[in-house]
Amino acid sequence: MARDTQLLKGLLEGCILALLDNEVTYGYRVVELLGKYGFREPQEATVYPILNRLEKKGLLKSEKRPSDLGPPRKYYMLTKDGAKELEVFKNEWENVKKTADRLLEVK
Amino acid sequence: MKTMTKQSKLIICLSLFISGALIFSALVYFFGISDTTDVDVTWMLVALIFIAILSAVVVYAARKKIRTRAKLLNTEFFIAYESIEDSMEGSVLSIFERKETMKDILGLFIDAQNSGRTVEQVTGGDLSGFIIQVQDSFGYRSRLLFTLISGVQYAIMYLFMVQIYEWVRNTRGESFFSAQPGYSLIVVLLPITFIGIPLMRYFIRKQKIFWAMAVLFINLAIGIAFMEITCASFMHIEWIRSIHEDVFSYVPGWGFLVLWLGILAASFGMKWFIRRISIKKL
């Protein structure tokens, strides 16, 4: 687990953008979805600061919606800049993946 | 409903202690002077006792308010939530940002609790790390600059308070600008605004409430000790005598009033500007 932590952290921003491109949702649901997609033990402590940073950067926007379980929830969605950033991430990730695959095949 | 947490008890006890100490010193002063029928002194004594009691009540009410706000959390999550809220007081976030962040965290905690997760699973067992990460996600790196600007703000507000105090105490009926508090109160209390409060905020941010309160006491004690020692042994030195005896007005006229208020407004504007720049650099 410790070995891939740094790598995962770097990817998390892009993956969260991708999740929110598919679904407008709230913080805890993002954590759940990351878990479902295979991220091991995703934590609110990691995800919330990223959501906050992405919102401050203008890549996400949010709105409050009522919740049956407590106070209104903050739902996050992608902005136009967020969508552009996601495209950049996808391209970069594709390049990194190809490079890594080539290296691993050579080995 | 959960009982009061250890942290709340500590904060309430410290506030009661400070209020008690203030009332005790006011009473000692009152009964120590020769003329206890002086209306002005009696009035000040009543005002001091009222402020001391009011401060303790405000602290208690603030702790109760946190409990009410987070009433849906179980004890484990509430303790963590309360620690985060206290720690936020030491951050450089604006009041609005702090409130919004606490609402977000409350929502996250409620969802996590309802899903059967523990605080450790939510924070990765590192609550302090979580708090720092949340604050850092705003990107405000100019902590020292924020501290200095806050120091200026506290200093100006403090000067106004002292001027008002002196006006009410000695020169009521005359112009507000004619009140002359002098140097002594600056020497005792101004270091608190530039050293004491930043240090207190540092300890609050690090969740060390006891040390935050200790800083206040140590700061006051050093100031009072300086005044007492210099008064007893160093009055032959001119600048020390000047500190003890010279008086002057902090706000001698309309021009100064506008100047102080202008600096205060500019300092708020500067904080806003630094926050805007920091977000762009994120």
Side-chain angles (χ1 to χ4, degrees):
Chain A
M1 180 66 193
R3 273 181 306 177
D4 56 9
T5 301
Q6 286 307 315
L7 184 64
L8 287 178
K9 272 190 177 177
L11 294 177
L12 220 44
E13 264 194 39
C15 291
I16 288 173
L17 287 176
L19 280 179
L20 293 171
D21 191 35
N22 297 332
E23 184 181 336
V24 172
T25 192
Y26 52 95
Y28 182 70
R29 177 81 181 136
V30 173
V31 177
E32 271 186 336
L33 287 171
L34 286 170
K36 278 186 184 166
Y37 277 100
F39 280 87
R40 273 180 280 172
E41 297 171 24
Q43 288 155 358
E44 289 80 345
T46 314
V47 172
Y48 176 68
I50 293 175
L51 286 170
N52 199 36
R53 193 164 52 244
L54 293 174
E55 194 182 7
K56 295 282 156 207
K57 281 164 85 172
L59 303 178
L60 297 181
K61 58 183 177 180
S62 65
E63 65 179 32
K64 292 275 172 85
R65 293 183 189 176
S67 158
D68 297 336
L69 298 170
R73 279 187 180 126
K74 197 174 187 179
Y75 279 72
Y76 295 91
M77 60 205 84
L78 243 60
T79 60
K80 279 183 182 172
D81 285 345
K84 281 182 202 165
E85 186 69 23
L86 177 60
E87 285 310 308
V88 172
F89 169 75
K90 281 179 181 171
N91 289 334
E92 282 179 359
W93 173 243
E94 200 57 41
N95 287 337
V96 170
K97 205 171 80 169
K98 277 180 190 166
T99 311
D101 284 347
R102 272 199 302 271
L103 271 167
L104 292 171
E105 277 167 22
V106 169
K107 202 179 172 185
Chain B
M1 187 69 177
K2 52 211 98 27
T3 55
M4 199 162 273
T5 62
K6 213 170 143 186
Q7 182 144 322
S8 275
K9 282 180 191 163
L10 174 68
I11 290 171
I12 290 170
C13 283
L14 284 168
S15 78
L16 285 174
F17 177 73
I18 294 170
S19 302
L22 185 62
I23 292 170
F24 179 73
S25 4
L27 286 173
V28 167
Y29 173 75
F30 182 72
F31 290 112
I33 58 173
S34 52
D35 184 11
T36 52
T37 56
D38 185 337
V39 179
D40 273 0
V41 176
T42 312
W43 190 86
M44 286 311 296
L45 177 75
V46 172
L48 270 176
I49 292 175
F50 176 74
I51 290 168
I53 294 171
L54 185 70
S55 311
V57 170
V58 166
V59 170
Y60 181 75
R63 304 315 294 183
K64 287 274 282 185
K65 207 174 158 190
I66 299 177
R67 282 178 64 187
T68 312
R69 201 163 40 236
K71 61 176 184 269
L72 293 175
L73 296 178
N74 64 29
T75 307
E76 187 200 10
F77 273 99
F78 178 71
I79 290 171
Y81 176 83
E82 192 186 46
S83 290
I84 297 170
E85 177 137 358
D86 286 338
S87 183
M88 282 288 173
E89 293 298 318
S91 77
V92 296
L93 308 188
S94 68
I95 294 172
F96 174 75
E97 287 168 337
R98 269 182 244 163
K99 281 189 175 174
E100 272 302 298
T101 304
M102 288 317 298
K103 277 185 196 167
D104 292 348
I105 290 173
L106 179 61
L108 273 178
F109 277 12
I110 289 172
D111 282 332
Q113 177 186 288
N114 290 337
S115 305
R117 285 163 71 86
T118 62
V119 169
E120 195 167 335
Q121 284 172 318
V122 170
T123 63
D126 181 13
L127 189 62
S128 301
F130 174 49
I131 294 167
I132 301 289
Q133 275 194 58
V134 169
Q135 292 178 15
D136 286 352
S137 67
F138 284 83
Y140 304 152
R141 308 222 189 304
S142 318
R143 177 163 287 277
L144 183 66
L145 200 54
F146 270 108
T147 305
L148 281 174
I149 296 171
S150 296
V152 171
Q153 289 174 336
Y154 291 130
I156 292 173
M157 287 189 269
Y158 164 66
L159 292 181
F160 270 106
M161 271 163 45
V162 174
Q163 179 87 8
I164 291 169
Y165 168 80
E166 192 63 24
W167 177 51
V168 172
R169 197 177 71 133
N170 285 334
T171 49
R172 263 177 302 150
E174 292 174 36
S175 160
F176 168 71
F177 304 123
S178 63
Q180 295 188 316
Y183 287 110
S184 54
L185 284 167
I186 293 183
V187 171
V188 176
L189 291 170
L190 213 54
I192 290 180
T193 65
F194 285 101
I195 302 166
I197 293 177
L199 268 175
M200 281 172 77
R201 290 173 73 117
Y202 170 80
F203 284 121
I204 289 170
R205 189 168 180 254
K206 297 278 174 191
Q207 300 175 273
K208 294 187 164 93
I209 304 294
F210 180 81
W211 282 106
M213 290 295 157
V215 164
L216 179 68
F217 284 118
I218 292 167
N219 221 311
L220 270 173
I222 290 173
I224 293 167
F226 172 80
M227 293 304 284
E228 290 299 323
I229 292 167
T230 51
C231 181
S233 314
F234 299 98
M235 285 295 271
H236 57 280
I237 302 169
E238 198 181 328
W239 65 269
I240 286 181
R241 197 170 58 248
S242 179
I243 285 174
H244 282 272
E245 291 174 357
D246 287 0
V247 289
F248 68 95
S249 175
Y250 301 156
V251 193
W254 285 105
F256 270 87
L257 183 66
V258 172
L259 177 72
W260 288 132
L261 291 177
I263 294 173
L264 198 59
S267 65
F268 281 107
M270 230 169 133
K271 276 187 171 177
W272 175 84
F273 184 67
I274 296 169
R275 288 195 177 104
R276 293 277 300 179
I277 292 178
S278 304
I279 289 171
K280 280 183 183 169
K281 282 183 183 169
L282 259 172

